[in-house]
Amino acid sequence: MEESKNIKIGITHGDINGIGYEVILKMLDDNRMLELCTPVVYGSAKIASYYRKALNLQQQQVNQIKDVDEARDGVINIINVVGEDCKVEPGQSTREAGEAAFAALERAVLDVREGKLDAIVTAPINKDNIQSELFTFPGHTEYLEASVGGKALMILFNRDIRVALVTTHLPIAKIAEAITTDRIVEKLATFRDSLTSDFAIVHPRIAVLALNPHAGENGLLGSEEQKVIIPAIQAAAEKGISCYGPYAADGFFGAGLFRHFDGILAMYHDQGLAPFKTMAMDSGVNFTAGLPIVRTSPDHGTGYDIACQGKASEQSMREALYAAIDIARNRLRYAEMTANPLRRQYFDKSKDNVVLDLSKE
């Protein structure tokens, strides 16, 4: 990506029966968004038109294209990934909606892998109806990790707080066995690297949450803190990662301790996301760190209960687009700053003005 050119952002339409199209169209109807980037929606011009009429939204110029290379600045570009006969049933979970969601995701991931896009923003999917022989994952995060490589880390953030997860979409009964010292150290390293390169934070401070109530009370309420989490914090610290804890989650958020850290590593999904979404439901962004591509999404779900009613807020989708642009640019700057283009040189003090270039030896 060259910062001088307009950034191309792929936007997947998600579940076509949810609020995906509403928040996408409302966001892109603000012409300022078209000045920030060149949006490429992976979906259906016909379905977009259906929601425009149903929601009484203003008409916008749409450029239907077959490839990202055809995208134009200043307009909404759409790549049709579903057939003309695709049925829309607002508020309903259908297999057809799941197939349409996967078609958009698959094509966008292919294009961003090939370098045609600078980042992707994904509208919410239904994790049940999208399941098929080609999609057997708990969600976007796991699918992206399998598709593009890397070690995925889910980070939910807004301007005030960043929460990452050791485990993501797991049943509660399986969480304790999935939390290991090595896994925590790996997540801390990925989190530190992301805070540095993606968020431009120098030497970030990371808080680590406990698994058990009251941080286990010295083993009375659980031994994971002593046997797993504390050793992980110590091992990560030896690697130069500034991490602290473990903190009991209730007191940590209740007392506002999160304000003193650049990032928070939670042990499981609801431990970190319940307080986060309480504070940041309309402004939160879901970011998949640890991948060679940039992917963000709004922090809400499909919203079947308010689909096609004009009630959905586009703010989280807007923040996701802002974040995709910022992170893509931060990665570019970080790569340039750490490229180290200088040749290794050795000055022989016994001789005047003699330089030995060791890079050629």
Side-chain angles (χ1 to χ4, degrees), residues 49-312:
S49 179
Y50 168 88
Y51 276 103
R52 278 203 178 279
K53 293 177 181 178
L55 297 167
N56 196 28
L57 299 176
Q58 62 178 329
Q59 293 299 315
Q60 282 275 39
Q61 181 181 358
V62 172
N63 180 33
Q64 294 190 54
I65 59 178
K66 293 182 179 180
D67 190 88
V68 177
D69 294 336
E70 302 171 11
R72 300 205 319 261
D73 297 342
V75 298
I76 301 173
N77 301 279
I78 292 184
I79 294 179
N80 292 303
V81 297
V82 298
E84 288 286 316
D85 58 346
C86 187
K87 188 177 182 181
V88 179
E89 301 179 67
Q92 303 299 313
S93 174
T94 66
R95 185 59 54 190
E96 192 169 13
E99 292 172 354
F102 177 67
L105 178 62
E106 183 181 40
R107 177 66 185 276
V109 170
L110 176 63
D111 284 348
V112 74
R113 284 180 61 183
E114 293 182 351
K116 295 181 178 181
L117 299 167
D118 297 302
I120 58 173
V121 178
T122 59
I125 60 172
N126 180 311
K127 295 176 178 61
D128 177 40
N129 68 28
I130 197 174
Q131 297 297 316
S132 68
E133 292 182 358
L134 297 176
F135 191 100
T136 58
F137 305 91
H140 277 116
T141 303
E142 296 80 4
Y143 171 78
L144 290 168
E145 183 180 63
S147 298
V148 303
K151 295 290 185 179
L153 176 69
M154 182 185 291
I155 301 177
L156 275 289
F157 72 94
N158 69 356
R159 298 175 185 179
D160 302 315
I161 185 173
R162 303 170 193 89
V163 179
L165 306 177
V166 175
T167 62
T168 52
H169 303 111
L170 277 182
I172 291 293
K174 297 182 179 180
I175 288 174
E177 66 184 37
I179 295 174
T180 65
T181 297
D182 288 344
R183 189 169 190 172
I184 294 172
V185 173
E186 176 188 287
K187 298 298 184 182
L188 281 169
T190 302
F191 200 8
R192 186 272 311 274
D193 292 345
S194 178
L195 290 171
T196 303
S197 62
D198 300 330
F199 294 90
I201 299 172
V202 178
H203 203 62
R205 291 165 49 88
I206 302 172
V208 181
L209 300 185
L211 174 64
N212 298 297
H214 305 289
E217 291 281 16
N218 292 319
L220 180 65
L221 301 178
S223 61
E224 285 82 5
E225 283 71 25
Q226 283 79 14
K227 294 182 178 180
V228 178
I229 301 176
I230 291 175
I233 293 172
Q234 293 171 341
E238 291 175 359
K239 295 177 180 289
I241 301 172
S242 295
C243 52
Y244 309 88
Y247 296 96
D250 57 349
F252 182 84
F253 288 104
L257 294 180
F258 64 88
R259 297 187 181 91
H260 301 294
F261 296 92
D262 300 300
I264 301 149
L265 184 68
M267 292 297 113
Y268 59 95
H269 188 280
D270 286 10
Q271 181 189 54
L273 301 196
F276 173 82
K277 291 190 177 184
T278 299
M279 294 184 283
M281 190 63 187
D282 288 336
S283 63
V285 175
N286 182 353
F287 167 53
T288 308
L291 302 181
I293 67 167
V294 176
R295 174 260 174 171
T296 65
S297 90
D299 71 345
H300 55 70
T302 56
Y304 286 145
D305 57 324
I306 59 171
C308 207
Q309 298 177 31
K311 297 179 180 179

